[in-house]
Amino acid sequence: MRKFISSLLICLLIVASFAVAAQANSVIYVTYAQFGAVGDGVTCDFDAIIAAHAYANENNLPVRVNSGTFYIGESGRTAIIQTSTDWTGASFIIDNSVVTTAQGHHRFNVFHVTSHYDVFSLTGQVESLAANQENIGIALPQPSLVFAYNNDVRHYIRNGQGNGQAMSDFFIVDENGNVCPTTPITWVFEQITNIYARPIDNDTLTITGGHFTTIESANGWNSPYFARGLRIDRSNVVVDGVVHEVVDEIPGQLPPNSGFLTMSNAANLVVQNSAFAGRLGAREGTYDIQHWNTANVLFYNVTQTNCIHDWYRWGIHASNNTRNVTFDNVSLSRIDAHRSVNNLTIRNAEIGYGSLALIGRGDLLIENSTVRSWHFVTLRHDFGSTWDGDMVLRNSRFIPVGNDAVLINSANNGSINFGHPTTLPHNILIENVVIEDDHLNVVRNRLGGFLPFQFYRGPSVLGAMHAYGNDALYVTLLWDWLTNRSSPGITQEITLRNVEATGGRRVRLSKNVFRLRERFFRNVRVIRETTCPCAR
């Protein structure tokens, strides 16, 4: 009998151990409820959210939350995400109205996607770099993004003010030190004051779903920047189906926002099937999407949760130092590149009041798109109106909302040192573009120069190259000429192929009709073509 009982106990222990093992193996994802989250939209669930992601990161488990409304209030902490997360069906309330800036909590992102890999220094191992150099001369543990700086050379001095940014560059390097041809070295580094590498994650991390509502702060016009959103500092990430909106915005009391979605120091990023909020203007630039030091970025099927034509809601997107960026099938009030984008493609897009405000280099392709704004493209005059490469505008519509129609607006009279070379696009192709300017064929009463009014004389490819952008300001243009301001690099060739202005007027080279415009444009070759050879 004793022997039977002993055998039975042993069997029960074996069964129990298998049950425990089976239960452990059945945990295939983590939820917030497992760590005490209530999800009623009132109780602050942030502690549970942080704990759930910490456990998921430690055990390499995904997070799945498909129901509930999670309230996030005052906090000086961040939930670190290192595994795929599915928020489909869940909602989040981010309450900025309870956040005080005195403790610095306004700068803590709610979620931060990070890599398992650590950044490592290459300073002292690479002492100089040449433009288009194919190998950096050392091996790396794995493919990485390499960032190089020379603090003794300054670039991107904004509008001649301040000291600009240290000359910097970033590029993808494989384990053998070879520079990826799609991210070539741009600048000549005679010396390097700092250089480091960020390993590129091999696997793809996905962030899926989730409806986020930010209750806006009313900290006032002089508030510092808020950054209470989702930040990504990891390569190979897909953001799919995220929606963000903002409520309780009070004009004149809004803090600037650096972005609900911010991405930095990473490669191979996709944002798709998502919607973000155009922000009301604040004391400084304010955005809902911002990325910098990013390469190979795709925005696909991205829209805005409010009207893209609202003049007060242009704060949607901004970027700095990016490479190989594509916007496809998007509807946004503004696409903005401050300190250079290398290679930009915009297709199947509808762009509102904020327009396309860019500087950069490489290839700029805009096709199958509609822009309803003051200009089709604005080359930002505060950074020298520069595009060091070629530009193609194809199969698109331009609907001017102002009192003139300029396809490529620019302003650089040669008087400001921006710290970097400035040039207009080398070659411009404008093909199958319709300029809907019927409403401008009337006298526009606007004072300026010596004329109390002036007629709309037709659309133009380029602006006046003066910051005022007004033909009538003859005195300022004459002063520029008499003081012999230096000219930026000028476009070599413009090809107009089937460019139609519905108002019936001929497309001009420049809106600057001042006789001395030849100082800027005398060597530009303009080719006008149609698809029919007989009409040439």
Side-chain angles (χ1 to χ4, degrees), residues 137-452:
I138 61 172
L140 301 179
Q142 67 188 83
S144 304
L145 272 174
V146 174
F147 299 83
Y149 297 85
N150 182 354
N151 292 327
D152 295 332
V153 178
R154 312 302 289 182
H155 281 175
Y156 304 114
I157 302 172
R158 189 170 188 173
N159 202 25
Q161 301 175 4
N163 197 27
Q165 305 292 317
M167 184 174 74
S168 64
D169 210 346
F170 73 101
F171 36 88
I172 297 174
V173 177
D174 69 14
E175 60 272 22
N176 297 315
N178 297 313
V179 179
C180 179
T182 62
T183 60
I185 299 172
T186 302
W187 305 108
V188 175
F189 288 82
E190 295 183 356
Q191 67 169 353
I192 294 174
T193 55
N194 184 29
I195 184 169
Y196 60 89
R198 286 179 173 267
I200 295 175
D201 296 79
N202 295 320
D203 61 317
T204 298
L205 186 151
T206 60
I207 302 292
T208 308
H211 188 286
F212 294 81
T213 300
T214 295
I215 301 174
E216 188 56 279
S217 167
N219 269 275
W221 197 252
N222 292 319
S223 169
Y225 269 93
F226 271 62
R228 299 240 304 165
L230 169 63
R231 176 165 178 170
I232 298 171
D233 282 326
R234 179 198 194 272
S235 294
N236 287 321
V237 175
V238 175
V239 176
D240 189 357
V242 171
V243 176
H244 178 240
E245 61 179 349
V246 181
V247 298
D248 294 350
E249 292 178 287
I250 303 175
Q253 298 183 34
L254 299 173
N257 278 270
S258 59
F260 168 77
L261 173 64
T262 59
M263 303 180 292
S264 62
N265 307 315
N268 311 328
L269 304 171
V270 177
V271 181
Q272 63 187 14
N273 308 319
S274 298
F276 301 93
R279 310 300 287 259
L280 288 176
R283 175 180 57 88
E284 298 183 59
T286 188
Y287 315 98
D288 215 41
I289 307 168
Q290 187 171 189
H291 57 116
W292 63 92
N293 292 348
T294 53
N296 309 332
V297 183
L298 170 63
F299 294 92
Y300 177 75
N301 193 27
V302 173
T303 59
Q304 208 165 294
T305 55
N306 41 31
C307 180
I308 69 170
H309 304 299
D310 186 340
W311 287 27
Y312 300 101
R313 293 188 177 277
W314 55 265
I316 184 68
H317 169 272
S319 67
N320 292 283
N321 303 326
T322 58
R323 315 190 72 151
N324 308 327
V325 181
T326 297
F327 291 84
D328 191 353
N329 192 32
V330 301
S331 179
L332 299 170
S333 60
R334 180 179 176 89
I335 295 175
D336 195 350
H338 290 74
R339 295 195 297 272
S340 186
V341 51
N342 287 23
N343 300 324
L344 174 63
T345 298
I346 300 171
R347 60 167 64 98
N348 308 315
E350 184 179 7
I351 307 299
Y353 167 72
S355 185
L356 306 172
L358 318 168
I359 66 165
R361 60 194 304 122
D363 295 325
L364 172 58
L365 169 63
I366 305 170
E367 61 182 357
N368 302 321
S369 297
T370 297
V371 175
R372 185 190 298 266
S373 185
W374 290 86
H375 313 108
F376 193 95
V377 176
T378 295
L379 297 178
R380 296 185 59 118
H381 72 274
D382 51 348
F383 289 107
S385 290
T386 187
W387 190 273
D388 189 3
D390 294 340
M391 180 182 296
V392 176
L393 313 181
R394 177 185 292 139
N395 303 329
S396 296
R397 297 167 61 216
F398 173 41
I399 307 171
V401 300
N403 51 16
D404 211 337
V406 179
L407 288 173
I408 306 169
N409 194 48
S410 55
N412 184 348
N413 67 4
S415 64
I416 297 174
N417 174 25
F418 295 99
H420 57 270
T422 59
T423 178
L424 288 175
H426 305 163
N427 299 285
I428 299 173
L429 169 63
I430 304 175
E431 180 178 32
N432 301 327
V433 171
V434 177
I435 304 167
E436 298 184 7
D437 62 343
D438 310 65
H439 59 292
L440 298 182
N441 270 335
V442 294
V443 174
R444 289 292 175 185
N445 292 320
R446 57 177 185 172
L447 298 177
F450 303 115
L451 300 178

Side-chain angles (χ1 to χ4, degrees), residues 28-45:
I28 57 175
Y29 59 84
V30 176
T31 70
Y32 296 157
Q34 292 170 341
F35 292 82
V38 179
D40 60 2
V42 178
T43 305
C44 185
D45 290 316

